[in-house]
Every structure is written in structure tokens, then in C-alpha cells.
């Protein structure tokens, strides 16, 4: 039997059983009236349709790696079919380095073209879409990128000399074949090796003897300049190739990374790779083939250097109006007051160049070919908000368990789309994900619960398209055990035992992303990105990856804003000055109204930006400076005069600043300017000026919200990030009085029965399951009759004028009514509710999987099969069977009965008395079995699927791993990747697996009231 005829691997680490409080939320849904597909209004109906029928652009995609490359028609057909079956809408094909010693074909070869063309046609047949990586590995490059088109840097070489010396000096360092001397200086230091006396700087270029037409200066002797008395630095500034090769390149793409600041380099790359892809896709280019993808910018430059390109000096002079060459030393040394202003201008020009020469022309080429560009701009030298927006779709990432609940990285990507009017932000997802207790990128240990745990914060931050990282192509044969996998990735593919339930997860993704694409984002706060302040403080790279964005110290401004019940957009200088308007005391950007502007820890600010902040404050807005006030202007030309204007505006806005006051408030015009010396005071100041959009009665950091608004609805995404139930109440800042709850996991929509309309909004009590996320929909409609208060565990609408209260406790249950119903109190006594019934006995457990001989064993006490030697290395689906009895007395009229499986590792499907009760793939593992149980004998069957790590732990390092190392490890970083690719084999660290329990029936009472 072939591998693909068995589901092969494993799903997540299960934690300890939860203490569920009084009643599981499944009881909340008992007897619930779902909403009919009827007419309300066009906007609401469109929203409902988007939820029930998510469009393809919001459905789940996956990155699909072809290692080698290597693929067959049979394998392509099978894997695309698996993806389609489980709800994936498209694939991003990424060709990578070989993991097989034989059978590979070269990138752009005839066989590559044949397999790629076949893939496009097969995807078309299945209704799938394709994005292509415009190259292999990352970043873009290949053998067609000559040294002249390859990435470049600018670096310094230094000699120290002591004068007087009348014989002159030599150029420090070597001048290589592709190097170019850009500057040569002599200078004295002042107190520190990194501080130069600006009055001592001497340009030594006039003293050079040019001797070779390839370089305008290669002479090793500087003639005519005699070293004066004292200690001097002789500093050579040279342009040099980074010599970076494409990382993880496939066969046929080994070569240099292109120069992202050079339009010629991009044009050449598009000519070769874009032309080949267009040729193989044919008429499907721009149809089945949707986009060109560009991965994150991991450009490696030598330590102590900066990005550079051939015409950098010419472009700088054209864009800034002065010559950078005499000021080059300011990039490495403190040369006085002008230093930060020169550094700012240098990075600002690099930012403009990468947008003009890479992001924008790449998008324009895509548009000319009816494609879109999907690009991860982070890591580049471009101003990030504008760089993301320069593409058709800007893409962020969500990659580990350790990511913050509110992430500056994620919000930069989504804010860019908001403030530039882009319809979507996508996300590379689950890249370095592993389970708790494992190193980063430890494969075969994630499950669907872990995927959702990492996904939901990204949805809260505004992602609208999820690209799994991902799915590795494997030939459908038995030559490799267990299979090839990407070395820095989660394993999300058909060989996982839980893959059979993946369509439930992908449906959840699609519904969420679709709703989160409707209407407009609502955020009261605009946080100015201090990127231009960061540019003024940059220094050369110290770790090979030079990214000015990393110099920003965000602190806790972003999470503090959200935890306070508000939300925000990051804004940049360009949008604030050029794309915003001031209306009724609001800062309006793309029709989004912001009442507060935050300036986070800024020393330098662009004068037009500060002038805009002043105008906003004067018109009625609130400007909050966090921890310090700006004190100087960015940019070199006129920096002294502009700095004076900055200080004058700051004094005008913020007034006198007492030294010892932690909070300084100053009335300015119709608004207020506030300085907080501690960012922890931000929530206090926000609440002084605004009512929270989402206010919890009992604040907790693990319950978060996102708000979008259409013409006639308010849409709130509410997520529980904890492993525990969250019982709370929230005041939603909306005037709409008809409330519905839409469940993105099941697709159900139902009216909310218990809420109260207040002067400041609508208060809704809720009880969220562990890791649960829901949508609250507030629509324009008359306020219906509803409950405003109850002590029941759940209140649900049961029909016109009726509600059902559910409780797991004996005692008096009451409701207070309101809205369209006459205010009143209704109550009823509940008694004789039994305690939960534990289902125990001798379970019959059957283990059977690919290359695992059938094993049947009895289990009197449920426990992890990882604890038993004979099942420790089982990865697959085990079947648990048990006959048990339910006394007649427990099945009284009006009882709601829930089956609670306790701890399950990792996903399960349940039958009770031959009727399917359902599937669970995350906690809590509970099922409504009210209509399935019967007095006397009952029969339960539970099928549990675990994770692949158990099987991998029983394997030895495969022979192919050493063979591929021997043959292909001579290029770039392949030895490192090859070492990682087999590290999980034989591990002793495996998670729990199976049905661990305790399994029990939980009883509740349902009571119907008329309202």
C-alpha cells in the first residue's frame, strides 16, 4: 500500500485538562435559533454573503516548495488534489536547493518548463490559483546577474599615521577587481576614535595619481600631501560587491543576488525569469497565475558597511540638491552637528531609490501582464509603510509562538494598506513555528490548535490573506522516510494525520479573512512611525543585516493602546503631510478618523510633519509625545534654521515643561498637547480624551478586539488568546442596537439574546472558549425584545419572543427583559441536576497506520500512547471503543447533555451510538450529544490523530541526507540547511498522544422564557 493511502503524521501537544467552570460554551448554543438567509438591507446581506461564501482572495494559500527542483506529473496531480480537498485556494511555488542526490532538474531547464506548465494547467482544472516566486530561494538573483548588476555596498578602510611625514600616505586596504574608490580622506580624531575634528578633514582625492582606466583612483601612493604633525586617520571609502549568492538556490539558479537599487539589474532579472515564467504559463499568465512573489529582504553586507549602487552619488545630488561625497565620513564618524542630518538624507535617498528602481517597476511590470505583485518589503532599506504600499499586496509575517499579541511588525504591514487605500495585506504564516518545549522550527510537532493560536493575533492586527509556510513537494513513493521537508517551516501537508481535518481550519481562515476585508478599519489613534528619526541615528551594520527599521525602539506603545480598548494605525511623514485632512478635529486618512496622534520617543522630526501635528492639535486633536519631545529637524539643508522652528513649535504646543512632572498637559487651540515621561501612562491619557471602543468590565490582556465598519454595520472581531475560558462583559462603542454573533469556526450566525443598550454603547456579556474567536455584528435595525440581565450560564434566542436559559447549577434562574419587550423579571427553580458522569471501563484501542502493523490493545486507564513502548512511535489515527451505561434518571426532560473528552492529543472524531457527534481539533474537546444518548447501554467510538514526530522519533538519520550533503553542500549556506533537515530523527522528546481524558457526560438544564 502506498504512502499516500495512509494519513501519516501528527498533531500537537496537548496540555493538562481544563477546569471548565460551571458549564462549557457548547451549552450556550443549545437550542439556538440560527439566522435565516432573508432580506435586511443590501450592505448587511453583502456582509453575510462574504461570511458564508468567502471569495478566493481571502481563502487560505500555501507556499509549495519544490526542492531540487524535482517533481513529476503524478506527484503534482496528487498534491494539488489534496490541497483543493482541504480548502486551500492557491499555491505559491518556490523552487529550492536539492534534497535528493539524483533526479533533479535545473531551474529554467526544459524539464522545469514542462513540469511548471503542467502545474499551471492542473491548477486551472482544479480551480486553484498560482503565485510564482520570481526566482528561487531568496533574495532574487542567479547566474545571469553579472558582478556589475549584483548587490553592492560602501565600506571604509583605515590606516593611522603620525606626522610630520613629507613622503605622503598610501590608500588603506585593497582595491579589488570590481571595487571603486569613492572617497579618500585624512582627519584627526577628538577624544574618541569615532569622533572627528571636522575642521581637520582633508579630501585627498586631488593628490591621487590615476594609473588605470578601470578605476579613477588605484594609485597606492597619495602624492603631494604631507602629513602634518600629530596623529591622523587615513580613511578610504570604497564601493565593493557584497558577493552575496542567492540563499538556498535551486540547481540552475546559483549566482549573485541582484542590486535592488539598480533598475538595470531588475530589468535583466525580469527579462530572464519573468520571461520564462510568462512563456510556460501562456494564456494563464494573469489568470490562473495571479502574482509574482518577493520574499523578505535578507541582503547580507560586510560588517561596518552600507548598501550602495553605482550611481548613488549622482542620485543623491539630484534628489537632495547637494553633493554627498565631501560628507561621506559622516556615515561612519561623528563630524559635528551635521552628522545626524547627513545620515538621514543618505538613508532617505536609498529608500527612494529602492522604491523607484525595484518595488514600483516590479509592480508595474506585473500590472502590464495582468498580474499583481505580492512583496515582503521588510528588511529592505525602504521606508516600510510606503514600501509595502508600493506593491499590489504588501505582505507581513507571523512566524513563532513567542510573537507578541499586538505586533509592531504586523501592524506596519496592515497600517500601510489602511493609510494608502490598499484592499489587502497578506501574511507568511507559521514559518519558525514549533510546539512549546521545542526549539524554533522543530518540525512535525505543530497541530491545528497551535496554528490557530499563532494565527489569531495576526487576524487581530488586520491580516486578510494567510499563506502557509508550508507544504513541501514529495514524489508519491517510498524512497524517502518519512519525506523531505523545508528546514525552517511548519509541516502543513497531507502526510499529517490531522490533515483530514484541515478543511475546518481553512474554512475558519477564509471566513475571518473575508469579514476582516469588509468596510473600513476603525482606529482612534495614529502613531507616527519614527523612521526618519531612526534614519538620523543610523550606524553601519554590525551583524551583516542592515535594516534602519530595527533601530526603532517601539516599547509598549502598540500593545498598551490596544489593551486600553483602542486601536491604531501607524502613519508616516508622507501620509501625514500629503494624504491626510483635518475635519471636525479629526485626522482623516482614507476616510478613517483619528482623534489622537502619538509621537513615540522622537529626537528628530521633519518640519512639515511637526507643522501638520500642530495644525491637528490646534483644530481639536490630541497630540501625545512619549518619553521625550522632538528637538531638532531632519535633513541637512537648512538644518539649523529648521531646528529652531521645530523647537519653537514644540514650545508653542507643549508650553513650559516642569522638570519633575511625569505628565505635562497643555491646552493648545481647540486641542491638547501632552508629554508623558513614562509610556505606561498612555492608557490613562487616551481614556481622558476618548471613550474606549472596546471596554472589558474586567480587563485582561488575553482578550483582544479588531473593529471594522461598513455603511450599516459595525463588525467586531473578538479573540481569546488564553488556554482558559474567559467569562466577561464588554462595552462596544456603537449606537446600533441589533446584535448578532457570527461563529467563524462553524459558519453559524445567530442573534445575541442577552445585552443592554447604554448611553455609551452596547454592553454584551460573553463566555469565550480557550483560543476561541468570534464576530459581533451590530446592525441598523430596531432594537428587538431581549434579555438585559440573567444569572444563567447562557441565554439564547429560541424563536420569536422566546429565549432559552441554560444552567449547570441548581437554584433559581432569572432574567430581566428590555428592548422592545416590557421590562420585567422572570424566574424558575432548577433542582436535581446530577453531577457529571465519568465514562470509564476497559477501552478497546486499535492502532493501524502506514508501515505500522495493526495492534489491538485494552486500556483500563486512559493515558498517552507515547508512554508505551509498543505505541510510542505510532503516528496516525487510533480508534477507541467502549460500551457504557447511562441510568434513566439522568436523562430527565429538558436536560442538555455534553460529552467532554478531556485531554485529546491532538484531533478527534466521535460517534455515539453510531451517530457522528463531530470533530474537535482544539480545546475544549466537547460535543452536544443530547439527541444521541439513551438510557441503558451506549456505545462510543473516538478516533484520535496525533502528530508525525512520534514516528520520526523512531527513525534513524536517512541515508539520502548524507548523500546530498556530499554532492551539493559546496554552495553558500547549504551545509547549514542540510544539517537542520534531519535533526528530528531519533529524538527522545515526543509529546503526549491519544485520548487521555477523563471522559465524562456533563448535564445542564434548559428553561424557556417568553420575553
Amino acid at each position: 500500500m502506498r504512502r499516500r493511502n495512509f494519513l501519516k503524521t501528527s498533531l500537537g501537544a496537548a496540555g493538562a485538562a481544563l477546569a471548565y467552570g460551571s458549564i462549557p460554551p457548547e451549552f450556550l448554543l443549545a437550542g439556538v435559533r440560527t439566522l435565516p438567509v432573508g432580506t435586511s438591507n443590501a450592505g448587511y446581506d453583502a456582509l453575510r454573503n462574504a461570511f458564508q461564501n468567502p471569495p478566493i482572495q481571502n481563502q487560505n494559500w500555501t507556499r509549495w516548495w519544490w526542492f531540487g527542483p524535482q517533481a513529476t506529473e503524478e506527484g503534482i496531480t496528487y498534491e494539488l488534489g489534496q490541497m483543493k480537498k482541504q480548502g486551500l485556494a492557491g499555491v505559491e511555488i518556490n523552487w529550492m536547493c536539492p534534497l535528493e542526490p539524483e533526479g533533479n532538474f535545473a531551474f529554467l531547464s526544459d524539464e522545469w518548463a514542462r513540469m511548471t506548465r503542467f502545474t499551471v494547467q492542473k491548477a486551472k482544472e482544479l480551480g486553484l490559483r498560482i503565485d510564482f516566486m520570481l526566482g528561487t530561494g531568496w533574495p532574487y538573483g542567479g547566474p545571469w546577474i553579472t558582478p556589475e548588476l549584483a548587490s553592492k555596498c560602501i565600506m571604509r578602510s583605515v590606516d593611522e599615521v603620525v606626522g610630520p611625514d613629507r613622503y605622503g600616505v598610501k590608500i588603506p586596504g585593497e582595491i579589488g577587481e570590481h571595487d571603486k574608490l569613492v572617497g579618500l580622506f585624512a582627519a584627526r580624531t577628538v577624544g574618541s576614535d569615532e569622533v572627528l575634528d571636522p575642521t581637520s578633514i582633508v579630501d585627498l582625492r586631488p593628490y591621487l595619481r590615476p594609473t588605470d582606466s578601470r578605476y579613477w583612483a588605484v594609485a597606492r601612493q597619495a602624492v603631494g600631501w604631507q602629513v602634518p604633525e600629530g596623529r591622523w586617520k587615513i580613511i578610504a571609502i570604497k564601493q565593493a560587491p557584497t558577493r552575496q549568492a542567492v540563499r538556498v538556490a535551486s540547481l540552475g539558479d546559483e549566482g549573485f543576488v541582484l542590486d535592488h537599487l539598480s533598475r538595470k539589474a531588475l530589468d535583466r532579472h525580469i527579462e530572464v525569469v519573468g520571461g520564462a515564467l510568462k512563456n510556460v504559463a501562456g494564456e494563464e499568465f494573469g489568470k490562473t497565475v495571479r502574482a509574482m512573489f518577493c520574499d523578505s529582504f535578507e541582503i547580507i553586507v560586510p560588517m561596518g558597511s552600507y548598501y550602495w549602487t553605482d550611481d548613488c552619488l549622482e542620485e543623491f545630488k539630484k534628489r537632495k540638491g547637494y553633493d554627498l561625497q565631501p560628507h561621506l565620513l559622516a556615515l561612519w564618524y561623528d563630524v559635528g552637528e551635521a552628522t545626524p542630518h547627513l545620515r538621514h538624507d543618505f538613508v532617505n535617498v536609498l529608500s527612494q531609490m529602492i522604491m523607484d528602481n525595484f518595488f514600483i517597476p516590479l509592480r508595474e511590470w506585473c500590472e502590464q501582464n495582468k498580474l499583481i505583485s505580492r512583496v515582503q518589503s521588510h528588511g529592505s532599506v525602504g521606508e516600510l509603510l510606503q514600501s509595502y504600499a508600493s506593491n499590489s499586496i504588501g505582505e507581513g509575517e507571523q512566524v513563532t509562538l513567542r510573537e507578541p499579541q499586538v505586533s509592531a511588525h504586523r501592524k506596519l504591514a496592515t497600517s500601510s494598506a489602511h493609510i494608502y487605500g490598499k484592499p489587502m495585506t497578506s501574511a507568511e504564516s507559521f514559518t519558525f513555528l514549533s510546539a512549546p518545549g521545542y526549539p524554533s522550527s522543530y518540525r512535525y510537532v505543530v497541530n491545528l490548535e497551535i496554528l490557530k493560536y499563532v494565527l489569531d493575533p495576526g487576524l487581530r492586527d488586520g491580516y486578510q490573506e494567510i499563506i502557509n509556510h508550508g507544504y513541501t513537494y514529495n514524489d508519491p513513493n517510498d524512497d524517502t522516510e518519512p519525506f523531505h521537508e523545508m528546514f525552517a517551516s511548519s509541516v502543513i501537508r497531507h502526510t499529517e494525520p490531522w490533515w483530514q481535518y484541515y478543511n475546518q481550519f481553512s474554512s475558519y481562515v477564509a471566513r475571518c479573512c473575508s469579514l476582516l476585508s469588509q468596510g473600513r478599519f476603525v482606529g482612534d489613534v495614529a502613531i507616527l512611525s519614527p523612521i526618519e528619526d531612526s534614519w538620523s541615528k543610523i550606524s553601519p551594520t554590525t551583524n551583516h543585516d542592515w535594516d534602519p527599521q530595527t533601530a526603532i525602539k517601539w516599547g509598549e506603545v502598540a500593545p498598551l493602546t490596544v489593551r486600553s480598548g483602542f486601536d491604531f494605525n501607524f502613519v508616516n511623514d508622507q501620509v501625514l503631510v500629503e494624504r491626510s485632512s483635518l475635519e471636525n478635529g479629526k485626522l482623516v486618512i482614507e476616510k478613517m478618523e483619528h482623534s489622537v496622534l502619538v509621537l513615540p520617543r522622537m529626537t528628530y522630526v521633519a518640519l512639515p510633519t511637526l507643522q501638520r501635528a500642530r495644525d491637528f492639535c490646534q483644530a481639536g486633536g490630541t497630540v501625545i509625545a512619549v518619553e521625550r519631545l522632538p528637538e531638532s529637524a531632519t535633513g541637512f539643508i537648512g538644518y539649523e534654521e529648521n531646528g529652531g522652528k521645530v523647537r519653537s513649535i514644540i514650545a508653542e504646543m507643549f508650553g513650559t515643561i516642569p522638570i519633575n512632572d511625569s505628565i505635562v498637559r497643555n491646552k493648545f487651540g481647540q486641542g491638547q498637547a501632552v508629554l508623558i515621561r513614562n509610556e505606561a501612562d498612555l492608557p490613562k491619557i487616551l481614556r481622558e480624551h476618548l471613550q474606549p471602543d472596546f471596554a472589558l468590565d474586567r480587563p485582561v490582556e488575553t482578550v483582544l478586539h479588531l473593529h471594522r465598519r461598513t455603511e450599516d454595520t459595525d463588525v467586531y472581531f473578538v479573540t481569546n488568546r488564553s488556554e482558559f475560558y474567559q467569562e466577561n462583559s464588554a462595552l462596544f462603542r456603537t449606537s446600533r442596537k441589533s446584535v448578532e454573533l457570527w461563529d467563524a469556526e462553524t459558519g453559524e450566525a445567530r442573534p445575541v439574546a442577552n445585552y443592554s443598550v447604554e448611553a455609551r454603547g452596547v454592553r454584551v456579556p460573553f463566555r469565550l472558549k480557550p483560543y476561541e474567536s468570534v464576530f459581533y455584528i451590530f446592525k441598523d435595525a430596531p432594537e428587538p425584545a431581549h434579555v438585559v440581565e440573567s444569572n444563567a450560564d447562557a441565554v439564547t434566542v429560541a424563536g420569536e419572543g422566546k429565549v432559552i436559559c441554560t444552567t449547570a447549577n441548581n437554584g433559581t434562574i432569572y432574567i430581566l427583559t428590555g428592548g422592545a419587550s416590557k421590562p420585567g423579571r422572570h424566574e424558575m427553580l432548577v433542582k436535581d441536576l446530577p453531577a457529571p458522569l465519568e465514562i470509564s471501563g476497559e477501552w478497546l484501542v486499535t492502532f493501524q497506520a502506514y508501515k505500522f502493523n495493526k495492534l489491538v490493545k485494552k486500556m483500563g486507564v486512559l493515558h498517552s500512547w507515547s508512554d508505551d513502548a509498543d505505541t510510542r512511535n505510532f503516528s496516525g489515527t487510533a480508534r477507541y471503543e467502549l460500551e457504557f451505561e447511562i441510568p434513566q434518571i439522568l436523562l430527565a426532560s429538558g436536560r442538555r447533555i455534553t460529552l467532554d473528552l478531556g485531554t485529546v492529543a491532538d484531533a478527534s472524531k466521535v460517534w455515539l451510538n453510531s451517530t457522528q457527534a463531530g470533530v474537535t481539533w482544539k480545546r475544549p474537546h466537547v460535543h452536544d450529544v443530547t439527541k444521541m444518548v439513551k438510557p441503558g447501554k451506549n456505545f462510543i467510538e473516538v478516533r484520535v490523530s496525533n502528530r508525525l514526530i512520534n514516528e520520526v522519533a523512531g527513525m534513524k538519520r536517512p541515508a539520502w541526507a548524507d548523500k546530498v550533503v556530499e554532492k551539493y553542500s559546496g554552495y553558500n549556506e547549504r551545509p547549514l540547511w542540510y544539517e537542520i533537515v534531519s535533526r528530528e530523527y531519533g529524538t527522545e522528546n515526543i509529546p503526549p498522544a491519544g485520548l487521555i481524558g477523563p471522559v465524562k457526560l456533563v448535564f445542564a438544564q434548559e428553561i424557556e422564557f417568553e420575553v
Side-chain angles (χ1 to χ4, degrees):
M1 185 173 290
R2 307 191 79 176
R3 166 189 310 278
R4 67 190 188 195
N5 291 330
F6 273 93
L7 292 166
K8 283 239 357 142
T9 143
S10 60
L11 196 140
L18 294 170
Y20 288 148
S22 60
I23 178 172
E26 278 56 37
F27 292 151
L28 307 185
L29 311 186
V32 169
R33 180 175 68 88
T34 57
L35 294 168
V37 183
T39 58
S40 173
N41 56 59
Y44 172 84
D45 290 345
L47 190 73
R48 184 75 183 277
N49 184 63
F51 180 67
Q52 293 178 329
N53 304 289
I56 191 169
Q57 64 263 26
N58 295 125
Q59 295 174 26
N60 195 187
W61 285 54
T62 189
R63 185 171 295 180
W64 191 23
W65 295 285
W66 291 15
F67 280 90
Q70 188 179 102
T72 66
E73 292 184 359
E74 181 186 14
I76 291 167
T77 300
Y78 180 72
E79 294 197 350
L80 288 177
Q82 283 290 318
M83 296 174 196
K84 177 68 174 179
K85 181 179 180 181
Q86 293 300 329
L88 292 174
V91 296
E92 169 211 307
I93 302 180
N94 196 326
W95 301 276
M96 301 282 278
C97 65
L99 288 182
E100 286 269 20
E102 305 296 337
N104 304 293
F105 46 79
F107 181 60
L108 305 187
S109 66
D110 290 345
E111 183 63 10
W112 168 87
R114 189 174 74 85
M115 288 297 101
T116 304
R117 185 177 295 110
F118 176 83
T119 302
V120 172
Q121 292 302 316
K122 184 56 64 174
K124 178 184 178 181
E125 291 175 18
L126 293 171
L128 297 172
R129 304 293 294 279
I130 291 176
D131 289 357
F132 283 135
M133 168 70 84
L134 191 62
T136 81
W138 67 89
Y140 289 174
W144 46 88
I145 298 299
T146 62
E148 291 74 22
L149 299 177
S151 62
K152 301 172 183 67
C153 65
I154 186 172
M155 59 177 60
R156 64 174 173 171
S157 299
V158 184
D159 282 344
E160 293 195 358
V161 297
V162 178
D165 185 345
R166 63 189 181 89
Y167 293 105
V169 295
K170 293 182 178 181
I171 300 174
E174 300 292 330
I175 303 293
E177 179 184 357
H178 298 287
D179 296 350
K180 176 181 177 181
L181 190 64
V182 179
L184 185 63
F185 302 91
R188 284 194 179 102
T189 59
V190 181
S192 165
D193 277 348
E194 303 306 316
V195 180
L196 301 181
D197 177 359
T199 64
S200 73
I201 297 173
V202 179
D203 186 349
L204 299 182
R205 291 178 298 161
Y207 303 97
L208 289 170
R209 180 193 309 142
T211 59
D212 191 316
S213 59
R214 291 178 302 168
Y215 326 108
W216 66 265
V218 294
R220 299 296 296 156
Q221 185 86 18
V223 179
W225 186 73
Q226 297 183 5
V227 182
E229 185 174 353
R231 186 177 297 277
W232 291 78
K233 285 184 180 291
I234 309 302
I235 307 162
I237 310 296
K238 69 176 182 178
Q239 170 185 311
T242 67
R243 297 182 173 84
Q244 182 182 359
V246 178
R247 305 179 75 178
V248 206
S250 74
L251 297 182
D253 192 36
E254 298 96 335
F256 291 126
V257 168
L258 63 78
D259 180 353
H260 290 81
L261 303 177
S262 165
R263 178 63 184 271
K264 291 181 181 179
L266 177 64
D267 286 348
R268 176 58 177 156
H269 188 74
I270 287 177
E271 177 188 6
V272 175
V273 182
L277 291 170
K278 185 175 182 179
N279 183 56
V280 299
E283 293 182 354
E284 294 308 309
F285 210 57
K287 297 177 182 176
T288 298
V289 177
R290 179 189 74 155
M292 291 294 137
F293 172 68
C294 179
D295 213 335
S296 55
F297 284 73
E298 299 173 31
I299 310 297
I300 296 175
V301 294
M303 285 197 292
S305 67
Y306 294 99
Y307 299 129
W308 193 258
T309 192
D310 290 327
D311 59 348
C312 218
L313 288 176
E314 292 85 351
E315 283 293 320
F316 187 96
K317 188 170 185 179
K318 181 173 69 175
R319 294 168 187 267
K320 289 299 178 183
Y322 68 95
D323 190 358
L324 177 65
Q325 204 285 330
H327 305 288
L328 284 170
L329 290 181
L331 303 182
W332 285 270
Y333 298 95
D334 182 346
V335 297
E337 291 182 354
T339 302
H341 306 284
L342 291 162
R343 292 186 181 186
H344 167 276
D345 284 359
F346 170 63
V347 188
N348 179 257
V349 168
L350 294 183
S351 174
Q352 294 176 37
M353 290 182 70
I354 196 169
M355 280 185 274
D356 291 345
N357 295 321
F358 185 80
F359 293 128
I360 293 174
L362 175 60
R363 188 199 73 227
E364 290 174 343
W365 179 84
C366 288
E367 290 171 348
Q368 290 165 8
N369 288 278
K370 300 181 181 180
L371 301 167
I372 60 175
S373 64
R374 181 169 62 83
V375 179
Q376 296 180 4
S377 299
H378 45 274
S380 79
V381 72
E383 191 281 308
L384 197 48
L385 289 164
Q386 193 174 0
S387 294
Y388 279 132
S390 297
N391 310 293
S392 308
I393 298 178
E395 179 162 295
E397 298 188 36
Q398 49 187 0
V399 297
T400 74
L401 282 173
R402 296 179 294 277
E403 287 198 11
Q405 297 193 56
V406 180
S407 160
H409 166 81
R410 298 191 300 259
K411 282 293 291 184
L412 281 163
T414 59
S415 294
S416 173
H418 297 161
I419 64 178
Y420 281 98
K422 297 285 183 173
M424 178 183 290
T425 308
S426 61
E428 175 189 310
S429 303
F430 320 124
T431 306
F432 301 111
L433 187 58
S434 59
Y438 292 91
S440 178
S441 298
Y442 208 78
R443 299 164 306 166
Y444 317 115
V445 296
V446 302
N447 60 22
L448 292 170
E449 179 179 278
I450 293 173
L451 294 182
K452 187 177 186 299
Y453 176 82
V454 172
L455 168 71
D456 284 349
L459 297 177
R460 194 239 74 84
D461 282 347
Y463 285 150
Q464 299 148 313
E465 182 181 64
I466 304 303
I467 316 292
N468 291 353
H469 192 285
Y471 199 119
T472 301
Y473 173 85
N474 280 260
D475 280 337
N477 57 40
D478 301 333
D479 293 343
T480 57
E481 283 290 350
F483 41 73
H484 298 313
E485 285 300 340
M486 206 281 185
F487 19 80
S489 172
S490 301
V491 177
I492 309 172
R493 66 192 303 271
H494 66 273
T495 44
E496 290 286 346
W498 46 259
W499 177 257
Q500 59 190 301
Y501 308 124
Y502 187 82
N503 61 340
Q504 298 200 20
F505 178 78
S506 63
S507 295
Y508 169 76
V509 170
R511 294 186 192 105
C512 287
C513 289
S514 182
L515 271 192
L516 295 176
S517 298
Q518 308 304 311
R520 296 185 184 276
F521 169 75
V522 177
D524 298 295
V525 181
I527 301 177
L528 179 62
S529 168
I531 186 63
E532 298 212 18
D533 178 72
S534 173
W535 291 347
S536 304
K537 300 171 181 176
I538 56 97
S539 58
T541 177
T542 56
N543 62 358
H544 296 299
D545 293 318
W546 188 68
D547 177 6
Q549 194 78 30
T550 60
I552 297 175
K553 307 301 181 187
W554 289 110
E556 293 295 303
V557 170
L560 283 171
T561 300
V562 174
R563 291 171 193 158
S564 303
F566 304 97
D567 213 335
F568 68 94
N569 277 315
F570 285 120
V571 298
N572 58 12
D573 298 71
Q574 184 204 34
V575 166
L576 193 63
V577 174
E578 300 176 10
R579 295 178 59 88
S580 70
S581 61
L582 303 179
E583 302 174 20
N584 301 317
K586 308 287 188 184
L587 182 69
V588 181
I589 304 169
E590 291 291 327
K591 299 184 179 180
M592 296 174 293
E593 297 181 347
H594 305 83
S595 299
V596 176
L597 175 65
V598 176
L599 310 179
R601 299 179 183 81
M602 297 173 63
T603 307
Y604 302 91
V605 64
L607 180 58
T609 300
L610 185 60
Q611 291 169 333
R612 189 61 165 169
R614 176 196 59 196
D615 295 345
F616 167 59
C617 191
Q618 203 162 33
T622 300
V623 176
I624 303 173
V626 177
E627 296 190 357
R628 65 168 301 126
L629 293 171
E631 59 189 41
S632 187
T634 59
F636 176 67
I637 293 180
Y639 73 87
E640 292 177 328
E641 179 183 355
N642 291 338
K645 291 179 180 179
V646 164
R647 291 184 287 276
S648 175
I649 293 173
I650 289 296
E652 181 186 7
M653 289 177 62
F654 290 87
T656 302
I657 308 297
I659 296 176
N660 296 322
D661 288 4
S662 60
I663 300 176
V664 180
R665 302 173 178 85
N666 188 56
K667 177 72 174 175
F668 180 69
Q670 299 299 311
Q672 189 173 56
V674 184
L675 168 64
I676 56 174
R677 299 191 190 276
N678 189 326
E679 67 179 4
D681 288 324
L682 181 62
K684 175 182 177 181
I685 300 302
L686 290 175
R687 286 172 176 157
E688 284 181 3
H689 291 84
L690 293 169
Q691 178 194 334
D693 189 29
F694 176 80
L696 292 170
D697 284 2
R698 294 176 298 283
V700 290
E701 293 185 0
T702 54
V703 176
L704 303 169
H705 82 289
L706 175 70
H707 183 189
R708 294 186 72 90
R709 179 177 293 139
T710 69
E711 292 298 322
D712 53 14
T713 57
D714 283 289
V715 178
Y716 284 85
F717 175 72
V718 180
T719 180
N720 174 18
R721 288 273 292 142
S722 81
E723 61 181 315
F724 304 105
Y725 284 91
Q726 292 292 335
E727 189 165 4
N728 211 321
S729 179
L731 181 64
F732 296 84
R733 192 184 64 198
T734 179
S735 60
R736 294 176 168 127
K737 300 176 181 180
S738 179
V739 192
E740 298 172 5
L741 186 147
W742 293 6
D743 187 336
E745 287 183 36
T746 65
E748 293 178 344
R750 54 187 179 273
V752 172
N754 185 9
Y755 64 95
S756 57
V757 177
E758 303 179 7
R760 297 181 303 148
V762 179
R763 188 177 303 278
V764 182
F766 62 81
R767 196 160 191 262
L768 292 174
K769 295 177 285 186
Y771 309 128
E772 183 180 23
S773 302
V774 297
F775 287 90
Y776 285 98
I777 309 298
F778 298 83
K779 64 178 181 176
D780 285 332
E783 182 181 359
H786 60 89
V787 173
V788 297
E789 183 182 321
S790 177
N791 66 342
D793 294 307
V795 183
T796 55
V797 175
E800 193 68 33
K802 296 180 180 180
V803 296
I804 289 179
C805 291
T806 308
T807 180
N809 302 300
N810 290 309
T812 300
I813 299 301
Y814 75 89
I815 62 169
L816 301 181
T817 57
S821 57
K822 182 183 295 186
R825 178 185 175 98
H826 309 268
E827 62 182 43
M828 185 173 292
L829 179 66
V830 175
K831 59 182 181 180
D832 300 327
L833 265 180
L837 173 68
E838 184 168 353
I839 298 175
S840 58
E842 197 166 58
W843 293 80
L844 187 68
V845 188
T846 304
F847 298 85
Q848 188 173 11
Y850 173 80
K851 287 194 174 179
F852 187 95
N853 293 329
K854 183 176 181 179
L855 173 66
V856 180
K857 58 190 301 184
K858 294 181 179 180
M859 195 176 289
V861 177
L862 291 172
H863 61 276
S864 168
W865 69 55
S866 298
D867 296 338
D868 295 344
D870 56 354
T871 54
R872 174 179 173 81
N873 298 126
F874 176 80
S875 288
T877 299
R879 185 173 71 251
Y880 291 74
E881 298 169 290
L882 179 69
E883 190 175 72
F884 66 99
E885 291 204 4
I886 303 178
Q888 172 73 55
I889 195 172
L890 300 182
L891 304 181
S893 175
R895 292 270 165 87
R896 177 64 52 177
I897 303 171
T898 295
L899 172 67
D900 182 351
L901 296 179
T903 298
V904 175
D906 295 291
S908 66
K909 181 182 289 188
V910 176
W911 287 262
L912 186 61
N913 297 323
S914 301
T915 300
Q916 184 175 315
V919 171
T920 57
W921 46 270
K922 67 176 187 64
R923 288 172 279 183
H925 297 276
V926 294
H927 303 272
D928 181 0
V929 294
T930 304
K931 297 180 180 180
M932 303 173 199
V933 295
K934 60 183 181 181
K937 294 187 182 298
N938 289 258
F939 182 80
I940 185 173
E941 178 184 338
V942 183
R943 297 181 186 177
V944 179
S945 305
N946 69 328
R947 290 172 268 186
L948 188 61
I949 190 62
N950 289 62
E951 182 181 350
V952 174
M955 296 179 176
K956 297 179 180 179
R957 177 182 169 91
W960 57 260
D962 292 323
K963 292 177 182 178
V964 77
V965 167
E966 181 180 349
K967 187 169 183 178
Y968 291 121
S969 63
Y971 173 81
N972 205 3
E973 299 163 300
R974 284 178 184 166
L976 171 63
W977 302 128
Y978 288 154
E979 179 61 31
I980 297 173
V981 82
S982 57
R983 66 176 174 170
E984 293 88 357
Y985 293 93
T987 181
E988 293 294 322
N989 184 15
I990 58 175
L995 177 61
I996 300 171
V999 180
K1000 56 187 177 182
L1001 293 177
V1002 182
F1003 302 91
Q1005 188 67 40
E1006 292 183 341
I1007 306 161
E1008 185 177 291
F1009 291 109
E1010 291 189 1
V1011 295

